[in-house]
Amino acid sequence: MAGLELLTDQGYRLDGRKATELRKVQARMGVFAQADGSAYLEQGNTKALAVIYGPHEMRGSRSRALHDRAVINCQYSMATFSTAERKRRPHGDRKSTEMSLHLKQTFEAAVMTQLFPRSQIDIYVKILQSDGGNYSVCVNAATLAVIDAGIPMRDYVCACTVGFVDETPLADLCYAEESGGVSSLALALLPRGGQIALVQMDARLHQDHLETLIEAAMTACKGVSKVLDEVVRQHLQEASVLSRE
Amino acid sequence: MIKTEKVLHLKSSRGRKVRVVREHYLRERVPCFSSLCQADCEKDGKVLPGDLTHYVVPDAEVVVNYLEVLEFPELQGIVITQTACQALHSKGRRFYNRLRNLLKDPRHDCVLFANEFQEYSYCPREKGESQEKWQTRCVYAAAVWYYNHLAGLMNVVMITEDEEAVSRFSSLNSGVFVIRVQDYLQDFWPELKAAHELYSAITQVLQEKEGEDSQREFSEHLPAEVLEAGIKSGRFIQGTLNVSKHRPQNEAFITNQGLSTKNPGAEAPLRSSLVLAEPAPPPENPWEFWTHPSSRCFSASDLSSGVLVFGSKSRNRAVHGDMVVVELLPKSEWRGKVTALTERQVDEKSGDESETKAMPTGRVVGILQRNWRDYVVTFPPRDGTQSQSRNSQRILVIPWDRRIPKIRISTQQADALQDHRLVVRIDSWPSTSLYPNGHSVRVLGRARELETEVQTILMENCIHVPPFSEAQLREMPVNSPENPWTVDPAEAAERRDLRETHLVFSIDPRGCEDVDDTLSVRSLAGGKLLELGVHIADVTHFVSEGSLTDLEARSRATTYYLADRRHDMLPAVLSADLCSLLGGVDRYAMSVLWELDAQSLAVTKVWFGRTLIRSSYQLHYELAQALLNGKEAEVPELARLDPEERDTKLTELMEALEKLTHIARHLRAQRDRGGALELEGVEVRAQLDEEKNITALVPRQPLEVHETVAECMIYANHWVARKIQEVFPYQALLRRHPPPRQELFSQLVDTAQARGFAMDTRTNKALADSLDRAVDPQDPLVNRLLRMMATQAMSQAVYFSTGAQPEDQFYHYGLALDRYTHFTSPIRRYADMVVHRLLTAALQVEQGAEPAKTPAGNKDVEELAEHINNKNRAAQRAQNLSIGLFQCLFFKERDPEIDPRCVADGIIYAIRDNGVLVFIPEEANICLVCRRFLVASLLYGVKGPVYMRNKEGRVVSAGPDGTCEWQSGSVRRYTDHIITTSGSGSATFRLSGQNSGAITYLLSHPQVRISVLSTNCHADTLNLEVISNKPHRSAAPQLPSSQGRQLVQEVVRLAEEAQEKAVQRPKLPREEREFQQSKAPNLYSILEEIRELALMDLETASRVCATTA
């Protein structure tokens, strides 16, 4: 059988979306009471849970503490049942470590760490179901969790992956598209100022196309930010109604 | 949008079943592409018309199996569902692409409806429902949706092959009818006979497929994943299968370009499929025939690399042209190809034939892509035993192309179609069958009739040239006596008007209708500057992009010239009238104007743009040359003027011609320095009489003015190429000529060596020089033959998109230009039209305006370039075949034993084990009367094998007077001669020269008799036979009359070059400019020169001394 056709002549993708359309995003904040902040986010079939502890005193070796800002500690893991075949090692492998590092960098750029010197913020993210775009879903979930924890940030951090097929950028790739040989790029954005928190790409792409790709990614991120904003407002409304009662 | 989920069970790469969950988004608005739509769906692209009686929605199964029936343009209003499309996709990429092309084709009335993304027409697959049932249900839901969406304005017919579906759905909805395909065809298209026949043929094939017995004839192909992994690891080699024309039973080769496997056996890069070489300058007028060395199959060098696939077992059901994967056999099983000439009647010969050195040999393990096309076939001669016993309906037919295996088809009309040629498609080739299965598509006509044969040639080369449709002709502007076409003043205001300022004239062959290029030249700034202008017909003004005419032209890609007819790319109103730059009328043009320095002829300014011109003179080559030579010549445009005025006009014209020639010589000299090649292709021109019948085919007299015109065109092409590449660096359509592979020159080098010439083939410059040196004063043919063999070795020039190749690949080897394209013949080449559009867009971009339409992207341009290349190759092949056809027709009517015209002189250019290859140059001039055409044809460039040993094992031997006869004996082959030893006497006769012994040397001239070998199923071929080893006519044919002038020309050119060098020297070399370091005599350079001299041999050293002195 010939390879999958990622974008038909009529402009439909495998799952019926058009090139710029995002997957359906659903989210809930404050899913756990015991943690300082938590959020659950679904983007299509990718589902992630993010939990925040902190800011609190440095645990473990105190020597890692920074005198002028907080240390951000990230851990990324995938549930053993998150993929089609059972995963042997939920965290600690090379990919997870890299992902943790990326998340850490992203949030160091967004969280106002200088407000909490000599302290530590822990971000734990778990992928419950994986269907492409794991990094961006983690970032989006963690953003909501950080907001839930009441830690000040410069702006929402929104992330999205984009791929490049037939000279067209595709927003928010699903797993079938990611594995279909598309060169994809992940971008985390602070949407209001348009600052880029992180760009990651390890596929080959002609230099000339990079600009259009980043452009598309930024539009997609702004789309995500709108959804997140709505979720936060909704959550606040619910919370205020509760507290009033 | 609504999100649902789809659960699929897929096979993972390791063959395990995996449960995959995919998202599936549904939307309410999916465009329906109908003009009746009430809900204002977006309607860009193709739209179904509203004036039909019904729309047809074929079931998935119908699309998969009966796509060919749906391809009939008569069937209108077809809605292909996405479900069906996906079903076809899983059948194979080839079918899917076919459907895609169908959907894109605006001439065909069908649209794609994405039913699975539509909220109301999507039905999820139920538990336990079979795939087929689900597909049928989906398609039905789509049909219902269509009916409701169009508010019942149009009836919808769903066609299916599923009886159950018919009974289940037909009464559910009033406006949606569900019927079987057969009923549909009978009820709605009773008069469309061809569709009915095609339908029944396919049905039969499908039925037979089910009842297949399972006796393995071939090993199964490996699954695609294994092949892919094998190719990646280097265990398998991927390539195109090329079946040998001369041993189609046994030999086939795998060729592919740029393949780099780590496999030790295939280290040499494999070459792309057998291509025809193209002579360097593009033919600038339409009635020249460029003959090409059509078959290089004998050349040893060409096949030295590549993988041999020997025998039909190891070919494993691959057909010529397929993309296959081969596995190399162990080295002990490698074998060489047979170098002996085989006669076609004999199938297998005993193994005593010598072979070349063993080459990599492999077997086909899988097929990546079938490249089946439509084949022309003939029924085998009836001899009673033919498969009457088992199943009289199934018949093995013989394809016209020898490289294609016999095809099994089913038909009830076998008796009626005896002696007919028909078109057949291959459906499948199961491993249980020795031959592929096919079905007939249509009948071409009786075999051996001229019309049928020409149709066969067109069909075999996939050339479809229906007459222009009414809709296309309706797009054309009108120009009739009552309603003459005039220049639009608004359009004229936007163009630069050259009617008053420039003396524009055209030089074309006599009787040319489609004049697409004109020239002008004038002095500027008081003689300090020269302005050279090339004005090309502005075809794109009349043919807008995307119009029906444009699409037709794109699919034709070129005008096809056959020996007795031509098929135009554009309708006649354009090609022969409105776009043709005829004399004395106003025409739109695309112009390139150069301002040249009158002394150095360096370009100071170039201007591109649209213009309005009026050609003053429509000259032909002979007339222009006569004017140049100062001979008395009658210019028809001046005939009616009074003598005084005529003289001034004539001087004006002659001045222009002289200036032009001067510039052209300079340009040529410039290119020669870069290493441009002058190659030999035998050219013939057809002369037409009033009824457009060919009255004569005459060899083109090589006049200087030909070269002058060609040179200006090359220059224009070159500058346009530079321009469009500059503005559109990634999507310009250029033409490149890759350097040939050195191995291919081996035959040329060998042949030249036989006459004592050394060939240096390292660069184009070296090759051009050594070809110039290889002149035998006694035998001018030798040089021509060598040039022709050099042409054969060339790779073919191709169009490409600049985004698809690295910049160092843009080079045009033959013309020695770094950038080249085709710009000057938009009337007969589609590539030129594309370039015109690009140039227009480039000019708009340059003026800061947005181009009216963004030019196509790199991918599209590359696709287009590929298409045009294929069509050009097909056109070339068709032309050669049609010329061969006429040659055969001519000789068929002659008795080779009596007719003196069947005897001609040949020249031997290669030697094989049991014969020699002979070329018969065009000197043999022969009258040819065939059917209604009176063709005085010359037998130009017949090439073919001559057997020194025949089937019975007898050899050619010669008597003392040089005449040859067949005797039993043996043949021995040496590198540059071949000896036949006759067994009757102990004495060996020597054919050539005075000694005994039958020796034939390379490049000697035997006398050859030509006769025709007729076969029923294939094309006729010419058969050559040596009858005497002494030339028929005098050994040294008189030098062509133009020799003297050529000499003059040569001298002029040399002078030009020398002058050019002198001019160039003051132009400081880089070092001097940058470092103030002079290159003029300094101690270092003198010492360096001395060192070089020491390394050179005496002869060249003396020459160098002479030039430096």
Side-chain angles (χ1 to χ4, degrees):
Chain A
M1 195 191 113
L4 289 169
E5 191 181 34
L6 294 175
L7 189 68
T8 64
D9 292 335
Q10 291 192 340
Y12 291 109
R13 290 158 65 175
L14 285 174
D15 51 10
R17 285 183 290 156
K18 300 255 169 142
T20 54
E21 286 170 349
L22 301 175
R23 290 182 285 179
K24 187 172 180 153
V25 181
Q26 285 173 307
R28 249 178 68 199
M29 291 166 70
V31 280
F32 302 123
Q34 283 165 331
D36 290 317
S38 60
Y40 168 76
L41 187 127
E42 280 180 21
Q43 198 162 337
N45 274 343
T46 307
K47 298 173 184 176
L49 204 52
V51 178
I52 306 284
Y53 291 99
H56 53 71
E57 279 177 20
M58 289 298 295
R59 304 244 167 88
S61 67
R62 280 174 180 275
S63 56
R64 285 193 303 139
L66 301 170
H67 68 93
D68 59 342
R69 57 195 159 96
V71 168
I72 290 187
N73 174 34
C74 278
Q75 198 179 62
Y76 164 89
S77 61
M78 284 175 85
T80 50
F81 48 81
S82 63
T83 46
E85 286 174 3
R86 192 186 129 91
K87 220 173 150 55
R88 289 280 157 76
R89 202 171 167 187
H91 63 89
D93 59 341
R94 213 175 253 255
K95 263 190 191 159
S96 305
T97 320
E98 190 195 0
M99 192 71 96
S100 304
L101 201 69
H102 284 154
L103 287 174
K104 185 179 165 181
Q105 283 170 351
T106 313
F107 280 94
E108 273 172 355
V111 174
M112 301 182 83
T113 45
Q114 71 273 22
L115 299 179
F116 311 102
R118 294 173 202 286
S119 53
Q120 177 184 0
I121 301 171
D122 295 324
I123 303 179
Y124 298 103
V125 196
K126 194 167 191 96
I127 292 283
L128 299 178
Q129 184 172 320
S130 157
D131 186 32
N134 289 352
Y135 167 77
S136 42
V137 175
C138 285
V139 170
N140 296 337
T143 304
L144 291 183
V146 170
I147 292 169
D148 188 40
I151 299 171
M153 289 208 289
R154 293 188 175 82
D155 193 357
Y156 291 94
V157 209
C158 304
C160 197
T161 49
V162 276
F164 200 67
V165 170
D166 294 341
E167 319 261 308
T168 326
L170 303 185
D172 199 7
L173 303 180
C174 68
Y175 178 72
E177 286 167 333
E178 266 185 355
S179 56
V182 185
S183 44
S184 69
L185 173 145
L187 182 131
L189 188 78
L190 303 178
R192 235 162 290 174
Q195 292 136 315
I196 294 173
L198 186 117
V199 187
Q200 185 224 351
M201 183 165 99
D202 33 25
R204 288 168 63 96
L205 183 83
H206 196 282
Q207 197 181 344
D208 293 3
H209 300 315
L210 187 62
E211 195 135 325
T212 49
L213 205 54
I214 288 188
E215 200 71 36
M218 283 166 85
T219 336
C221 286
K222 281 175 188 156
V224 172
S225 89
K226 259 186 217 146
V227 179
L228 295 191
D229 193 54
E230 214 158 282
V231 170
V232 172
R233 282 174 200 281
Q234 180 94 34
H235 177 73
L236 284 178
Q237 215 158 26
E238 281 167 17
S240 60
V241 167
L242 280 178
S243 59
R244 212 178 302 146
E245 281 168 2
Chain B
M1 280 204 300
I2 296 173
K3 187 189 138 186
T4 58
E5 268 166 22
K6 208 162 62 164
V7 183
L8 299 168
H9 291 271
L10 296 176
K11 264 192 186 158
S12 80
S13 55
R14 271 169 254 139
R16 233 184 302 170
K17 287 241 162 139
V18 181
R19 184 171 173 276
V20 175
V21 182
R22 280 205 194 137
E23 283 173 276
H24 193 84
Y25 289 92
L26 300 176
R27 59 185 74 222
E28 204 184 336
R29 311 211 48 155
V30 172
C32 64
F33 299 109
S34 167
S35 52
L36 284 178
C37 181
Q38 305 294 307
D40 52 67
C41 289
E42 51 177 309
K43 284 174 192 159
D44 44 343
K46 264 198 330 187
V47 171
L48 289 182
D51 54 356
L52 299 173
T53 55
H54 64 278
Y55 287 159
V56 192
V57 184
D59 190 7
E61 197 191 341
V62 175
V63 173
V64 170
N65 291 330
Y66 298 99
L67 183 62
E68 288 169 61
V69 178
L70 300 176
E71 272 173 359
F72 273 93
E74 285 86 355
L75 300 188
Q76 286 175 314
I78 303 176
V79 180
I80 308 277
T81 53
Q82 185 191 6
T83 314
C85 201
Q86 268 159 9
L88 196 66
H89 194 182
S90 59
K91 189 183 174 190
R93 170 70 68 175
R94 192 165 64 99
F95 300 96
Y96 181 62
N97 282 342
R98 201 154 148 184
L99 179 65
R100 263 175 64 171
N101 289 337
L102 199 67
L103 289 167
K104 271 190 214 153
D105 191 347
R107 292 169 291 186
H108 207 277
D109 225 3
C110 60
V111 294
L112 177 69
F113 171 54
N115 64 320
E116 289 185 25
F117 296 144
Q118 215 292 331
E119 196 181 332
Y120 302 113
S121 67
Y122 171 69
C123 12
R125 190 161 158 186
E126 279 158 16
K127 271 220 168 101
E129 190 179 28
S130 78
Q131 174 131 2
E132 288 75 26
K133 284 269 173 292
W134 171 67
Q135 282 171 345
T136 310
R137 201 155 59 87
C138 279
V139 173
Y140 180 70
V144 172
W145 181 85
Y146 235 85
Y147 178 72
N148 293 333
H149 180 75
L150 299 180
L153 291 174
M154 180 66 75
N155 288 330
V156 176
V157 179
M158 171 176 166
I159 49 175
T160 179
E161 282 293 274
D162 188 356
E163 296 282 0
E164 202 183 310
V166 174
S167 56
R168 190 170 143 209
F169 295 125
S170 55
S171 53
L172 275 183
N173 249 301
S174 60
V176 184
F177 305 95
V178 181
I179 51 176
R180 298 194 51 193
V181 182
Q182 195 168 11
D183 300 336
Y184 173 73
L185 287 175
Q186 255 155 24
D187 294 352
F188 290 89
W189 307 99
E191 70 287 353
L192 202 60
K193 278 279 170 300
H196 288 276
E197 276 165 26
L198 194 59
Y199 171 77
S200 55
I202 298 174
T203 319
Q204 213 151 22
V205 169
L206 288 174
Q207 278 166 359
E208 273 162 21
K209 221 184 249 171
E210 283 159 16
E212 211 86 83
D213 50 348
S214 55
Q215 194 192 354
R216 287 271 171 85
E217 300 285 352
F218 295 102
S219 52
E220 288 293 345
H221 291 150
L222 297 177
E225 302 92 50
V226 180
L227 294 180
E228 206 163 297
I231 294 165
K232 271 192 190 140
S233 67
R235 204 152 65 86
F236 298 151
I237 298 169
Q238 166 190 351
T240 313
L241 187 86
N242 247 313
V243 177
S244 160
K245 244 187 223 163
H246 298 267
R247 282 172 205 80
Q249 303 273 342
N250 285 331
E251 287 186 3
F253 301 92
I254 304 298
T255 52
N256 199 348
Q257 69 254 21
L259 192 92
S260 54
T261 53
K262 291 177 197 83
N263 211 309
E267 258 163 10
L270 303 177
R271 232 176 85 75
S272 73
S273 57
L274 216 126
V275 288
L276 307 173
E278 190 202 50
E284 283 304 338
N285 71 61
W287 277 103
E288 294 164 5
F289 295 133
W290 293 72
T291 46
H292 289 288
S294 56
S295 56
R296 286 215 269 100
C297 357
F298 285 124
S299 74
S301 50
D302 153 29
L303 305 169
S304 61
S305 60
V307 180
L308 175 71
V309 176
F310 190 85
S312 57
K313 275 272 185 283
S314 47
R315 200 181 299 166
N316 198 359
R317 291 174 280 154
V319 178
H320 175 77
D322 286 351
M323 191 71 147
V324 298
V325 178
V326 290
E327 179 186 40
L328 285 185
L329 295 172
K331 223 163 184 168
S332 55
E333 290 174 41
W334 285 12
R335 45 189 306 165
K337 63 194 178 66
V338 180
T339 53
L341 304 165
T342 42
E343 296 193 51
R344 268 151 198 165
Q345 298 91 331
V346 202
D347 272 355
E348 289 277 331
K349 276 201 166 182
S350 51
D352 64 333
E353 283 160 339
S354 64
E355 293 174 342
T356 53
K357 195 167 83 260
M359 60 186 290
T361 306
R363 68 186 184 90
V364 174
V365 292
I367 294 176
L368 290 180
Q369 191 169 17
R370 289 287 191 188
N371 245 332
W372 290 339
R373 54 181 172 88
D374 294 358
Y375 300 104
V376 177
V377 299
T378 317
F379 283 100
R382 244 175 146 42
D383 50 1
T385 58
Q386 243 278 307
S387 71
Q388 291 290 340
S389 52
R390 214 169 53 119
N391 192 346
S392 60
Q393 290 186 342
R394 302 170 97 189
I395 288 179
L396 274 181
V397 289
I398 304 169
W400 187 83
D401 189 342
R402 287 171 203 278
R403 295 171 296 191
I404 308 300
K406 287 180 187 167
I407 301 169
R408 186 187 298 122
I409 62 165
S410 321
T411 176
Q412 277 113 340
Q413 302 160 291
D415 290 320
L417 293 177
Q418 203 71 39
D419 292 337
H420 278 67
R421 294 218 198 278
L422 53 158
V423 181
V424 158
R425 268 179 214 152
I426 301 183
D427 295 311
S428 63
W429 195 344
S431 61
T432 52
S433 153
L434 264 181
Y435 296 102
N437 298 318
H439 64 268
S440 69
V441 180
R442 70 192 171 93
V443 180
L444 284 180
R446 281 197 168 279
R448 297 158 158 292
E449 271 172 19
L450 182 66
E451 200 47 46
T452 312
E453 296 301 317
V454 173
Q455 285 306 320
T456 304
I457 289 172
L458 292 179
M459 201 70 212
E460 275 292 304
N461 288 296
C462 300
I463 297 171
H464 304 286
V465 276
F468 290 99
S469 73
E470 234 169 78
Q472 283 158 3
L473 292 176
R474 238 180 284 137
E475 289 180 348
M476 295 293 101
V478 184
N479 189 21
S480 58
E482 309 90 64
N483 194 1
W485 177 84
T486 48
V487 170
D488 181 10
E491 185 66 34
E494 281 177 23
R495 290 166 178 267
R496 189 164 156 187
D497 194 340
L498 306 180
R499 284 177 293 185
E500 305 301 326
T501 50
H502 288 63
L503 175 74
V504 178
F505 53 91
S506 62
I507 308 178
D508 278 291
R510 202 191 291 266
C512 177
E513 281 180 339
D514 40 355
V515 184
D516 40 22
D517 48 272
T518 53
L519 295 159
S520 73
V521 64
R522 61 169 185 168
S523 289
L524 285 180
K528 265 191 244 149
L529 292 174
L530 274 179
E531 191 193 48
L532 171 67
V534 171
H535 315 278
I536 306 298
D538 192 359
V539 175
T540 49
H541 171 76
F542 295 101
V543 184
S544 56
E545 192 164 3
S547 65
L548 291 176
T549 321
D550 181 55
L551 292 162
E552 184 64 36
R554 177 197 283 250
S555 75
R556 293 185 186 198
T558 170
T559 295
Y560 298 99
Y561 297 99
L562 302 185
D564 62 331
R565 66 192 73 185
R566 71 162 189 223
H567 293 285
D568 283 327
M569 184 179 82
L570 295 170
V573 65
L574 288 185
S575 64
D577 191 5
L578 290 180
C579 287
S580 183
L581 304 173
L582 303 168
V585 283
D586 292 350
R587 289 286 180 252
Y588 295 141
M590 279 289 251
S591 298
V592 187
L593 294 170
W594 297 270
E595 280 181 17
L596 308 169
D597 188 282
Q599 289 305 312
S600 65
L601 293 181
V603 177
T604 56
K605 209 171 124 194
V606 197
W607 183 86
F608 302 92
R610 297 192 128 148
T611 52
L612 184 57
I613 62 161
R614 181 188 291 156
S615 171
S616 316
Y617 304 100
Q618 207 178 333
L619 307 176
H620 51 87
Y621 285 113
E622 291 75 16
L623 179 63
Q625 188 66 47
L627 285 172
L628 267 177
N629 293 354
K631 285 191 199 132
E632 272 304 304
E634 187 74 12
V635 182
E637 279 87 351
L638 298 176
R640 260 171 280 138
L641 297 175
D642 56 281
E644 221 168 275
E645 203 175 338
R646 189 192 307 170
D647 278 349
T648 50
K649 290 247 172 175
L650 200 60
T651 15
E652 198 183 41
L653 175 62
M654 276 166 69
E655 243 171 57
L657 281 174
E658 267 158 27
K659 266 183 221 149
L660 200 63
T661 318
H662 174 61
I663 296 171
R665 277 184 196 144
H666 169 80
L667 295 177
R668 173 79 206 193
Q670 222 169 23
R671 280 202 305 116
D672 276 346
R673 268 199 313 282
L677 292 171
E678 198 175 339
L679 298 170
E680 182 71 30
V682 187
E683 298 159 33
V684 204
R685 211 190 67 204
Q687 253 178 20
L688 297 175
D689 64 9
E690 262 71 63
E691 283 94 48
K692 298 219 187 86
N693 284 338
I694 304 169
T695 52
L697 288 167
V698 290
R700 195 175 82 156
Q701 288 294 323
L703 301 173
E704 192 192 0
V705 67
H706 283 131
E707 214 170 84
T708 304
V709 175
E711 207 57 52
C712 292
M713 295 308 143
I714 292 170
Y715 204 52
N717 287 336
H718 172 57
W719 277 91
V720 170
R722 279 171 58 163
K723 181 79 186 174
I724 57 174
Q725 196 246 343
E726 199 175 282
V727 181
F728 302 112
Y730 303 114
Q731 59 226 53
L733 183 75
L734 298 192
R735 189 168 173 85
R736 72 194 176 94
H737 186 200
R741 291 195 317 141
Q742 291 300 321
E743 300 95 280
L744 301 180
F745 281 124
S746 61
Q747 199 191 354
L748 170 70
V749 173
D750 290 348
T751 312
Q753 227 154 29
R755 271 291 161 103
F757 299 122
M759 282 286 151
D760 183 355
T761 58
R762 275 169 300 179
T763 63
N764 46 359
K765 175 90 178 125
L767 179 63
D769 289 345
S770 44
L771 279 174
D772 284 342
R773 276 199 301 277
V775 177
D776 188 342
Q778 253 102 60
D779 194 354
L781 268 182
V782 170
N783 188 258
R784 280 194 42 202
L785 190 71
L786 291 179
R787 280 184 196 277
M788 211 156 53
M789 290 172 77
T791 314
Q792 260 178 286
M794 294 291 144
S795 41
Q796 196 180 34
V798 287
Y799 298 105
F800 70 103
S801 162
T802 44
Q805 293 284 346
E807 201 148 333
D808 53 343
Q809 293 288 310
F810 292 2
Y811 190 65
H812 198 291
Y813 179 86
L815 295 177
L817 291 172
D818 56 349
R819 242 144 277 176
Y820 192 67
T821 190
H822 271 168
F823 168 73
T824 52
S825 299
I827 296 181
R828 57 193 183 85
R829 287 190 304 230
Y830 189 73
D832 300 50
M833 285 173 61
V834 177
V835 170
H836 274 230
R837 287 190 185 123
L838 276 170
L839 182 63
T840 315
L843 294 175
Q844 276 165 345
V845 166
E846 209 142 82
Q847 283 160 9
E850 279 290 302
K853 209 170 168 213
T854 44
N858 173 29
K859 215 176 129 199
D860 293 338
V861 176
E862 189 56 29
E863 216 167 83
L864 179 65
E866 198 48 47
H867 165 75
I868 298 176
N869 287 334
N870 285 339
K871 285 288 171 187
N872 277 347
R873 256 171 248 150
Q876 204 63 253
R877 271 197 306 270
Q879 189 181 318
N880 289 339
L881 284 171
S882 82
I883 290 168
L885 173 68
F886 275 81
Q887 279 174 349
C888 288
L889 278 176
F890 167 65
F891 286 109
K892 214 185 232 170
E893 288 167 14
R894 270 143 253 253
D895 183 356
E897 297 301 323
I898 316 160
D899 204 310
R901 281 169 295 190
C902 287
V903 174
D905 278 356
I907 181 163
I908 294 170
Y909 71 90
I911 293 206
R912 291 285 175 275
D913 280 352
N914 56 349
V916 292
L917 300 188
V918 169
F919 168 69
I920 301 171
E922 77 258 52
E923 258 95 86
N925 224 324
I926 286 152
C927 279
L928 159 52
V929 185
C930 85
R931 308 282 148 99
R932 61 211 155 85
F933 299 105
L934 176 77
V935 185
S937 138
L938 75 189
L939 210 191
Y940 56 95
V942 172
K943 269 193 269 174
V946 172
Y947 303 100
M948 305 302 270
R949 178 176 54 196
N950 68 3
K951 270 174 284 177
E952 292 88 45
R954 297 167 60 159
V955 299
V956 170
S957 70
D961 59 339
T963 53
C964 299
E965 53 194 26
W966 294 103
Q967 285 187 331
S968 51
S970 63
V971 183
R972 284 175 72 194
R973 174 202 175 183
Y974 298 94
T975 49
D976 63 343
H977 62 279
I978 185 163
I979 300 184
T980 59
T981 320
S982 128
S984 58
S986 56
T988 48
F989 291 98
R990 199 158 262 215
L991 271 175
S992 79
Q994 308 78 6
N995 313 0
S996 57
I999 300 187
T1000 313
Y1001 284 99
L1002 258 182
L1003 295 176
S1004 62
H1005 295 254
Q1007 193 182 342
V1008 177
R1009 177 185 296 140
I1010 306 158
S1011 57
V1012 176
L1013 269 183
S1014 289
T1015 53
N1016 224 357
C1017 308
H1018 305 288
D1020 294 345
T1021 46
L1022 291 178
N1023 185 32
L1024 306 178
E1025 213 180 320
V1026 169
I1027 53 171
S1028 162
N1029 202 25
K1030 299 232 171 82
H1032 183 43
R1033 262 160 270 174
S1034 71
Q1038 69 282 21
L1039 292 168
S1041 54
S1042 58
Q1043 192 77 5
R1045 200 176 48 256
Q1046 276 176 357
L1047 219 61
V1048 173
Q1049 218 176 298
E1050 200 58 35
V1051 170
V1052 169
R1053 191 183 295 159
L1054 284 178
E1056 185 86 27
E1057 267 174 57
Q1059 192 190 351
E1060 200 44 43
K1061 268 177 204 147
V1063 171
Q1064 285 230 323
R1065 212 159 276 160
K1067 268 195 193 162
L1068 302 178
R1070 197 178 59 89
E1071 297 93 303
E1072 200 161 340
R1073 261 184 286 123
E1074 281 181 16
F1075 313 115
Q1076 300 293 312
Q1077 195 176 30
S1078 143
K1079 261 220 158 170
N1082 59 22
L1083 194 61
Y1084 175 74
S1085 62
I1086 290 170
L1087 287 174
E1088 199 63 4
E1089 235 165 73
I1090 291 171
R1091 195 176 63 83
E1092 271 168 26
L1093 285 180
L1095 290 175
M1096 274 187 247
D1097 59 346
L1098 268 176
E1099 195 192 349
T1100 42
S1102 62
R1103 199 149 13 99
V1104 170
C1105 285
T1107 50
T1108 45

